[in-house]
């Protein structure tokens, strides 16, 4: 209620009920809320009500209405507030024109607890690294990580010592308000007891193609070579997760599965994600199926049908196995395997041609995935995963299903949109590429400029690095209730349909396609899952950086190869042996972006994850 009251006040909406007016009375008495010339209540210009957002080196007071009115403050001005708190701040006159403010009251504290660690007999907050005055800290060991009460700092729970790698998971989950995922999951009693008659596709030789370690199989494919018809079967999660149920509310809260190195924190309980909703080999499973009639000559879709079905995946393949098949190396195989290979090979040729056609409008970025391999909660090594032929085959099939799903949604639906980057970002991109010695120019539009940059980059040794710059220049994809197209993929309409086990957006879309109804709160749903997607990405990066920091701490004095990725912050990333590890260089002398250097690991802070290195000149 508190936030809503002040949002009304700032927006000049004066339809306050009795309870809201009662809450505002003390602020009126103190002159914080005043009456304007029209007799309406408003916030005095001396004050500001805002949300606290803690960044790495500063704090942002986020305006409730406009991000353009945000104010930066120092940690010293927090006055007991923490990340996520709703606060009242008083503006400070500053003759140098930059607006400043001090927090004078916490209106709504989000957390009753706070994560701290012990350093030199004092409490320090883990996230902000702020020292807290408390004599009781002396009874704890150096490096101990504790959950304490927000105000009294009384102990709630001891998490462990920062030197113990086991605690990284809890720290990352706590810092991003996701620690509830460690609680016991809801009990599920799922049965395949649909009274409606489903289309029986169990005789079709569907297969799944996933990473070796996958336990949740969202999608299976089958291709009818003679009829030129592609079947994309997706786990029918909406049958088991009913809208408004406790299970649904928890799935909405999570909105996505979290994939940590060597571990998955699923959006749905394991009974669903790894069993009843997973299209496992040799088991009957409910699915939601797209039957897509392809026009091979024009590289397009003639028409598509969507229906509820029952399938039985005939085989589970890894990406590696299918890559070997596409190379003509069939290994040992059964007659059932051969039946699948007989359509996988021609399907690959079809998807290759569709992909080539798609890339006339979309983009082909040379991205890689770095996978940390852990043992005893510490890094044993990293693996580089690149997009192979089998990945691209599956990707094109899923893209076709996602496009067809977006076409069947109402005018207001749930779309995955990616807006064209602004001219300013592209102009800056051109400048950055030119600074690297690759001569490029702005073209007639954004698409032509990007493809021109990529073509020029191919003639250099910097193709991968320039692709990174192009990706950084893009706007962020998000979920939206109205169709705005997907610039990066080159699609006029696009939705997420193919991963309802791990993405709430897909689950919502399935329900909409079945019911032909759009949820009344679709805008809130889109906003929530978009924000949560970003937060989970940051959580995973935080966790991985903690693992890198531990490896670096065990390898003080080691020389590693890095390339500069941020010339302003003296940052570089390791590109050999421990790919992805980032360092801050203490003796950086302004070397150009992507310059390759040898550095020696000097010191590590396990709490902040900062790795300090010295360039070896």
């Amino acid at each position: 209620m508190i936030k809503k009251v002040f949002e009304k006040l700032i927006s000049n909406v004066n339809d306050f009920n009795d309870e809201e007016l009662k809450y505002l009375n003390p602020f009126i008495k103190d002159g914080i809320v005043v009456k304007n010339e029209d007799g309406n209540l408003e916030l005095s210009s001396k004050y500001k009500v805002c949300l606290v957002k803690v960044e790495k080196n500063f704090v942002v007071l986020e305006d409730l209405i406009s991000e353009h009115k945000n104010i930066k403050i120092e940690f010293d001005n927090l006055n007991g507030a923490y990340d996520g708190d709703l606060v009242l701040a008083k503006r400070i006159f500053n003759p140098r024109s930059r607006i400043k403010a001090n927090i004078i009251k916490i209106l709504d504290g989000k957390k009753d607890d706070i994560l701290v660690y012990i350093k030199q007999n004092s409490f320090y907050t883990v996230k902000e690294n702020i020292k807290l005055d408390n004599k009781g800290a002396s009874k704890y060991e150096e490096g101990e990580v504790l959950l304490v009460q927000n105000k009294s700092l009384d102990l709630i729970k001891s998490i462990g010592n920062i030197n113990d790698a086991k605690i990284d998971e809890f720290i990352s989950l706590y810092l991003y308000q996701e620690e509830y995922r460690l609680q016991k999951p809801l009990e599920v009693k799922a049965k395949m007891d649909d009274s409606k008659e489903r289309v029986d596709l169990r005789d079709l030789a569907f297969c799944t193609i996933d990473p070796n370690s996958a336990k949740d199989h969202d999608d299976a494919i089958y291709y009818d070579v003679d009829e030129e018809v592609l079947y994309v079967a997706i786990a029918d999660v909406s049958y088991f997760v009913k809208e408004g149920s406790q299970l649904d509310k928890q799935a909405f809260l999570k909105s996505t599965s979290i994939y940590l190195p060597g571990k998955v924190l699923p959006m749905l309980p394991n009974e669903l994600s790894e069993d009843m909703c997973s299209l496992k080999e040799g088991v009957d499973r409910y699915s939601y199926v797209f039957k897509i009639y392809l026009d091979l000559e024009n590289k397009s879709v003639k028409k598509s049908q969507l229906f509820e079905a029952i399938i039985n995946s005939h085989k589970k393949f890894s990406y590696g196995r299918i890559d070997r098949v596409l190379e003509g190396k069939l290994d040992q195989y059964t007659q059932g395997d051969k039946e699948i290979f007989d359509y996988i090979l021609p399907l690959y040729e079809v998807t290759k041609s569709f992909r080539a056609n798609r890339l006339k409008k979309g983009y082909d970025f040379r991205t890689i995935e770095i996978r940390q391999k852990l043992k005893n909660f510490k890094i044993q090594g990293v693996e580089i995963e690149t997009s192979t032929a089998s990945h691209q085959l599956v990707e094109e099939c899923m893209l076709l299903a996602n496009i067809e799903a977006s076409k069947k949604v109402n005018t207001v639906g749930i779309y995955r949109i990616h807006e064209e980057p602004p001219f300013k970002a592209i102009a800056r991109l051109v400048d950055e590429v030119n600074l690297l010695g690759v001569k490029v120019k702005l073209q007639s539009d954004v698409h032509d400029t990007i493809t021109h940059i990529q073509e020029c980059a191919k003639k250099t040794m910097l193709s991968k690095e320039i692709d990174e710059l192009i990706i950084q220049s893009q706007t962020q994809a998000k979920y939206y209730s109205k169709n705005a197209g997907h610039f990066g993929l080159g699609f006029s309409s696009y939705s997420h349909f193919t991963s309802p086990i791990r993405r709430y957006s897909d689950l919502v879309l399935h329900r909409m396609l079945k019911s032909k109804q759009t949820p009344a709160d679709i805008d809130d749903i889109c906003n929530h899952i978009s924000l949560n997607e970003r937060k989970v990405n940051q959580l995973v990066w935080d966790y991985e950086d903690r693992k890198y920091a531990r490896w670096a701490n065990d390898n003080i004095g080691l020389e590693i190869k890095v390339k500069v990725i941020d010339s302003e912050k003296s940052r570089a990333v390791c590109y050999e042996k421990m790919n992805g590890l980032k360092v801050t260089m203490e003796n950086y002398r302004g070397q150009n972006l992507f310059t390759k250097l040898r550095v020696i690991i000097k010191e590590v802070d396990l709490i902040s994850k900062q790795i300090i290195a010295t360039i070896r000149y």
Side-chain angles (χ1 to χ4, degrees), residues 65 70 219 465 506 616:
I65 303 298
N70 292 351
D219 54 86
E465 288 79 5
D506 305 48
R616 185 172 180 178

PDB file of all heavy atoms in Angstrom, residues 65 70 219 465 506 616:
ATOM      1  N   ILE A  65       8.377   7.113 -10.649  1.00  0.00           N
ATOM      2  CA  ILE A  65       7.675   7.369 -11.907  1.00  0.00           C
ATOM      3  C   ILE A  65       8.620   7.432 -13.097  1.00  0.00           C
ATOM      4  O   ILE A  65       8.395   6.808 -14.129  1.00  0.00           O
ATOM      5  CB  ILE A  65       6.867   8.689 -11.836  1.00  0.00           C
ATOM      6  CG1 ILE A  65       5.883   8.638 -10.664  1.00  0.00           C
ATOM      7  CG2 ILE A  65       6.127   8.929 -13.144  1.00  0.00           C
ATOM      8  CD1 ILE A  65       4.840   7.536 -10.765  1.00  0.00           C
ATOM      9  N   ASN A  70      16.215   9.834 -11.348  1.00  0.00           N
ATOM     10  CA  ASN A  70      17.014   9.075 -10.378  1.00  0.00           C
ATOM     11  C   ASN A  70      18.166   9.922  -9.845  1.00  0.00           C
ATOM     12  O   ASN A  70      18.672  10.807 -10.549  1.00  0.00           O
ATOM     13  CB  ASN A  70      17.583   7.804 -11.023  1.00  0.00           C
ATOM     14  CG  ASN A  70      16.501   6.782 -11.356  1.00  0.00           C
ATOM     15  OD1 ASN A  70      15.343   6.943 -10.969  1.00  0.00           O
ATOM     16  ND2 ASN A  70      16.872   5.743 -12.073  1.00  0.00           N
ATOM     17  N   ASP A 219      11.392 -30.503 -25.774  1.00  0.00           N
ATOM     18  CA  ASP A 219      10.977 -30.591 -27.171  1.00  0.00           C
ATOM     19  C   ASP A 219      11.466 -31.854 -27.849  1.00  0.00           C
ATOM     20  O   ASP A 219      12.530 -32.380 -27.548  1.00  0.00           O
ATOM     21  CB  ASP A 219      11.498 -29.367 -27.936  1.00  0.00           C
ATOM     22  CG  ASP A 219      13.006 -29.181 -27.768  1.00  0.00           C
ATOM     23  OD1 ASP A 219      13.761 -29.798 -28.538  1.00  0.00           O
ATOM     24  OD2 ASP A 219      13.417 -28.423 -26.860  1.00  0.00           O
ATOM     25  N   GLU A 465      35.741 -10.666 -31.548  1.00  0.00           N
ATOM     26  CA  GLU A 465      35.704  -9.490 -30.673  1.00  0.00           C
ATOM     27  C   GLU A 465      34.729  -8.436 -31.198  1.00  0.00           C
ATOM     28  O   GLU A 465      34.007  -7.805 -30.420  1.00  0.00           O
ATOM     29  CB  GLU A 465      37.110  -8.886 -30.542  1.00  0.00           C
ATOM     30  CG  GLU A 465      38.078  -9.699 -29.704  1.00  0.00           C
ATOM     31  CD  GLU A 465      38.681 -10.879 -30.440  1.00  0.00           C
ATOM     32  OE1 GLU A 465      38.419 -11.027 -31.663  1.00  0.00           O
ATOM     33  OE2 GLU A 465      39.397 -11.661 -29.813  1.00  0.00           O
ATOM     34  N   ASP A 506       6.488 -19.262 -21.791  1.00  0.00           N
ATOM     35  CA  ASP A 506       5.999 -20.300 -22.694  1.00  0.00           C
ATOM     36  C   ASP A 506       4.752 -20.970 -22.137  1.00  0.00           C
ATOM     37  O   ASP A 506       3.824 -21.304 -22.882  1.00  0.00           O
ATOM     38  CB  ASP A 506       7.097 -21.344 -22.923  1.00  0.00           C
ATOM     39  CG  ASP A 506       8.397 -20.738 -23.428  1.00  0.00           C
ATOM     40  OD1 ASP A 506       8.851 -19.740 -22.841  1.00  0.00           O
ATOM     41  OD2 ASP A 506       8.964 -21.247 -24.403  1.00  0.00           O
ATOM     42  N   ARG A 616      52.558  -8.090 -16.930  1.00  0.00           N
ATOM     43  CA  ARG A 616      53.980  -8.413 -17.016  1.00  0.00           C
ATOM     44  C   ARG A 616      54.541  -7.721 -18.258  1.00  0.00           C
ATOM     45  O   ARG A 616      54.333  -8.150 -19.383  1.00  0.00           O
ATOM     46  CB  ARG A 616      54.163  -9.932 -17.117  1.00  0.00           C
ATOM     47  CG  ARG A 616      55.608 -10.363 -17.100  1.00  0.00           C
ATOM     48  CD  ARG A 616      55.723 -11.856 -17.005  1.00  0.00           C
ATOM     49  NE  ARG A 616      57.120 -12.270 -16.989  1.00  0.00           N
ATOM     50  CZ  ARG A 616      57.524 -13.519 -16.866  1.00  0.00           C
ATOM     51  NH1 ARG A 616      56.631 -14.483 -16.739  1.00  0.00           N
ATOM     52  NH2 ARG A 616      58.805 -13.817 -16.870  1.00  0.00           N
TER      53      ARG A 616
END
